[in-house]
Each structure stands twice: as C-alpha cells, then as structure tokens.
C-alpha cells in the first residue's frame, strides 16, 4: 500500500511539473483556464515521441525529457525516420526530398515552410500519407504484451516444476485466473464450452487492467482512453461472438418467436423484432468500447482538472484542497482500472454465452 501511495504522489508531482512548464511556455497566449484546457487535451492525445515531462530553461529554451520514436509512413514508397525531426511538432521534417509536418497530431506532406492548406470548412487539404508509426500508445501496448507473455510463461513454468503449485508472482495472479474461470467464464458460458473462450477472456482482462494501471503511473500513457484501441478490443469480442455462434444463436436473432405461433401471425412482429435483434449485434460491442473509453478518458480529465485548479486558486486553502482531491481521485482510479477490466471481461463472457447457447431439441420434442 505504501508503494502505491508513493507512486501516486510521484505521479501527481510530475503532472504538476508538466503543468508549470506548460503554463510558463504558454504565457501571453491566453488566460490560465485556456492554458490548462490545452494541456489536458495535449496529454490525452497519442504522440510520436515518448515524453515524460518538459520544462523551460532560463534562456527560454523548451526542453523535453523522453525518447523519440520511429515514424513509419507510406508516401510514394516507404519512409522511416525519427520523430525527433519534428521536434514535438515545432519543425518540418525533410525526408528524401519531401517535407512533412505535424498538424493536430497527424502527419501531412507540406513544403519547406510547413504550409497547411484548408478547404472551405477549414479542414486540411494537404496529402496525408498512410501512417504506420510506432507511437507512444503502441510502445505501451508492446510493453504490456511482453510483460504478460513473460509473466504468465513463468506462471506456467512454476506449475510444471512444482506439481501444479504456483510460486513467486504467480501466487498473486493465480486466484485472479481462477476467479475469471469460476465466477465469470463458467457461469456465463457453461462448463461444456467455457474453455474455448478462456484464453481470450484472460488476455483481455489482464491486457486492459495492466494498460489502465500504466496510465496511472508517472508514464501517464492514456492507451485505453484512445477510441481506436477500445474499438479494436470490442471488434475482437464482436468477431469471436458471431463467428462462434451456434445455429440456435442465429435462430434466436432471425426467428426469435420460434414455433410459438403460425408464420402468418409472426410476419408483422418480425418486421419490428428482426431489425432490433440485428441492431443488437452491433450495439453490444459499441457499448463495450464506449464504456471503457469514456470511463478512462473521464478519469484522466477529472484528475488533471483538479491539479489545474491549483494554478488557478494559488491560495493556501484552494491549492492544498485541490491536491487532496486529486490524490483521492487517483486512489479511486486504481479501483476503476480493475473494475473496467472486470466489466469488459464479464460482458464479453456474457455475449459468448449467448453465442454458445444450445437448446436440447430432442427433449423439447418429447415435451411437446
């Protein structure tokens, strides 16, 4: 517990440093509220470099603490270069005679002056290359994937070497694995088919949980607050649900009333019921992605807004109160990180249970 509290204090401290640096850089560009809003929007976006925080020297030079990442684009051929060429969006990158600039966190082809052209609705008309870059979020996804691989590989190895008894960190994760099996997978999917879904359920739970926790560390990478990431996870659940669905699952969608009434009496009802059932196929994954995205995004916004209030109040009462509230919210976010992983896994298992459902038609025939 002491380690978690220390980590949260360090996280809040680094956020305060970043706020201070950003405020000093933006002096004269707008009022304090606008500066804080811009910083929060900047923090929530993905980036082409892995920056922890920044500061401004006495000479007015803006320094970033972090690492550049590889930019990979396809623009009349493959082009790979370091994101340091953009200098955090402040300069134009020249690659093989072409010029590229960052605009609203997207890469556009431009000229040596970094000119961005607009249409009547003020949307950029510059060519936007296909972007396969390794961004900050991608790095954290790769780190989380490797962490899970080595963690559970060691857990499996400890099982084989110790007669089915976990050792080390495995003793902490084993009860969680058993809980997902006994309290999520089996009750929702059934004992006959739960094993085919267990690898996905375990992967999705720990993947979301670890990414959520990383987002609360001083690294501050808001991966699960990225709509593209949550949409990808929801699409996986969608595909697995519908590609493993039984004929009873599909019959329930396209023939929800079964043989309970004559076909001519069902036509009017089916005009309403079948579109609703088909729409439900897409609403389920959509609710998954929105719930995870909105909760994690809102948590970061609330936390940074409370820290920003310290720079607005600038008083002996308001600033400590804002820090105390931010600290309390950050502790609650630890619970939210676990809760959102649990909800995503639970709902996925519930959808898999619908897809794997089979009726005993032989017994139904005897009953009739």
């Amino acid at each position: 517990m002491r380690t978690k509290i220390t980590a949260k204090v360090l996280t809040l401290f680094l956020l305060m440093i970043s706020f201070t640096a950003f405020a000093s850089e933006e002096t004269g560009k707008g009022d304090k509220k606008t500066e804080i809003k811009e910083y929060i929007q900047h923090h929530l976006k993905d980036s082409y470099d892995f920056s922890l925080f920044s500061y401004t020297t006495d000479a007015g030079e803006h320094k970033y603490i972090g690492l550049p990442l590889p930019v990979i684009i396809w623009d009349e051929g493959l082009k790979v270069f370091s994101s340091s060429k953009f200098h955090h969006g402040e300069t134009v990158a020249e690659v093989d005679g072409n010029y590229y600039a960052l605009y609203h966190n997207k890469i556009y082809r431009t000229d040596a002056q970094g000119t961005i052209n607009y249409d009547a609705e003020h949307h950029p008309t510059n060519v936007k290359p296909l972007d396969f870059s390794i961004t900050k979020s991608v790095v954290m996804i790769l780190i989380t994937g490797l962490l899970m691989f080595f963690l559970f590989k060691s857990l499996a190895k400890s099982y084989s070497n110790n007669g089915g008894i976990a050792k080390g960190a495995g003793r902490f994760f084993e009860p969680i694995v058993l809980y997902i099996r006994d309290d999520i997978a089996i009750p929702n999917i059934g004992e006959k088919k739960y094993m085919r879904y267990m690898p996905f359920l375990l992967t999705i739970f720990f993947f979301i949980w670890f990414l959520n926790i990383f987002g609360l560390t001083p690294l501050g990478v808001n991966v699960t607050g990225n709509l593209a990431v949550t949409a990808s996870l929801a699409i996986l659940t969608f595909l697995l649900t519908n590609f493993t669905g039984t004929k009873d699952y599909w019959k329930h969608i396209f023939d929800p009333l079964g043989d309970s009434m004559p076909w001519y009496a069902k036509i009017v009802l089916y005009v309403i019921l079948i579109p609703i059932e088909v729409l439900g196929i897409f609403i389920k994954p959509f609710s998954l992605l929105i719930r995870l995205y909105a909760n994690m995004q809102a948590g970061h916004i609330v936390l940074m807004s409370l820290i920003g209030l310290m720079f607005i109040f600038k008083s002996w009462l308001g600033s400590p109160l804002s820090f105390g509230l931010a600290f309390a919210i950050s502790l609650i976010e630890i619970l939210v990180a676990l809760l959102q992983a649990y909800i995503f896994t639970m709902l996925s298992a519930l959808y898999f249970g619908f897809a794997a459902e089979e009726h005993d038609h032989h017994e139904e025939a005897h009953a009739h």
Side-chain angles (χ1 to χ4, degrees), residues 253-270:
I253 292 174
F254 292 103
D255 188 17
L257 297 178
D259 300 325
S260 59
M261 61 178 66
W263 65 269
Y264 53 82
K266 296 189 292 186
I267 292 178
V268 176
L269 291 175
Y270 277 7

Side-chain angles (χ1 to χ4, degrees), residues 14-15 17-18 21 39 50-55 63-66 218:
L14 288 177
L15 282 172
I17 292 176
S18 300
Y39 177 80
F50 207 107
S51 295
L52 296 176
F53 62 93
S54 59
Y55 65 94
K63 294 285 187 179
Y64 294 89
I65 304 300

Side-chain angles (χ1 to χ4, degrees), residues 36-298:
I36 291 172
K37 181 180 178 181
E38 290 176 354
Y39 177 80
I40 293 174
Q41 291 174 344
H42 173 76
H43 174 82
L44 294 175
K45 292 179 180 178
D46 198 3
S47 65
Y48 290 90
D49 54 83
F50 207 107
S51 295
L52 296 176
F53 62 93
S54 59
Y55 65 94
T56 305
T57 64
D58 295 336
E61 185 180 2
H62 202 207
K63 294 285 187 179
Y64 294 89
I65 304 300
L67 296 171
L69 297 173
V71 176
I72 306 170
I73 57 175
W74 183 271
D75 184 31
E76 300 176 352
L78 185 65
K79 303 187 189 306
V80 182
F81 57 95
S82 173
S83 63
S84 60
K85 287 194 172 186
F86 289 126
H87 195 65
H88 306 276
E90 297 173 2
T91 59
V92 176
E94 181 183 0
V95 183
D96 299 334
N98 290 335
Y99 296 93
Y100 302 97
L102 279 178
Y103 180 76
H104 288 181
N105 215 40
K106 291 182 175 60
I107 297 176
Y108 292 91
R109 191 199 299 171
T110 181
D111 54 23
Q113 288 72 40
T115 305
I116 300 293
N117 301 310
Y118 304 94
D119 58 16
E121 298 179 353
H122 203 70
H123 295 150
T125 58
N126 296 53
V127 174
K128 186 167 70 171
L130 291 175
D131 194 351
F132 304 98
S133 303
I134 307 298
T135 62
K136 184 167 64 172
S137 293
V138 174
V139 170
M140 289 311 304
I141 289 173
L142 294 174
I143 291 174
T144 302
L146 290 173
L147 175 63
M148 291 174 59
F149 174 78
F150 289 112
L151 182 65
F152 292 105
K153 182 181 178 182
S154 64
L155 175 58
K157 189 175 180 180
S158 70
Y159 270 123
S160 61
N161 294 339
N162 299 283
I165 300 175
K167 291 184 66 178
R171 293 182 179 179
F172 173 78
F173 291 103
E174 183 187 36
I176 302 176
V177 173
L178 294 178
Y179 178 83
I180 294 173
R181 184 194 69 182
D182 298 338
D183 292 89
I184 296 180
I186 293 178
N188 289 290
I189 302 172
E191 293 190 5
K192 289 184 178 180
K193 295 188 176 182
Y194 81 92
M195 278 302 297
R196 68 194 299 188
Y197 298 103
M198 275 298 291
F200 178 80
L201 293 176
L202 289 173
T203 301
I204 208 73
F205 175 83
F206 286 104
F207 183 74
I208 294 174
W209 185 26
F210 288 174
L211 283 178
N212 289 347
I213 292 297
F214 275 130
L216 300 175
T217 63
L219 297 175
V221 185
N222 186 31
V223 178
T224 45
N226 188 319
L227 196 59
V229 174
T230 59
S232 299
L233 297 176
I235 288 172
L236 290 176
T237 297
F238 169 79
L239 294 176
L240 198 55
T241 299
N242 291 286
F243 278 107
T244 62
T246 62
K247 63 180 181 180
D248 288 313
Y249 167 74
W250 291 107
K251 184 179 180 181
H252 175 76
I253 292 174
F254 292 103
D255 188 17
L257 297 178
D259 300 325
S260 59
M261 61 178 66
W263 65 269
Y264 53 82
K266 296 189 292 186
I267 292 178
V268 176
L269 291 175
Y270 277 7
V271 171
I272 301 172
L273 289 178
I274 291 179
I276 291 175
E277 292 288 344
V278 172
L279 190 61
I281 296 175
F282 301 96
I283 290 176
K284 291 171 184 176
F286 182 76
S287 67
L288 280 179
L289 75 92
I290 289 297
R291 182 182 291 104
L292 178 59
Y293 164 77
N295 278 279
M296 301 315 299
Q297 187 87 325

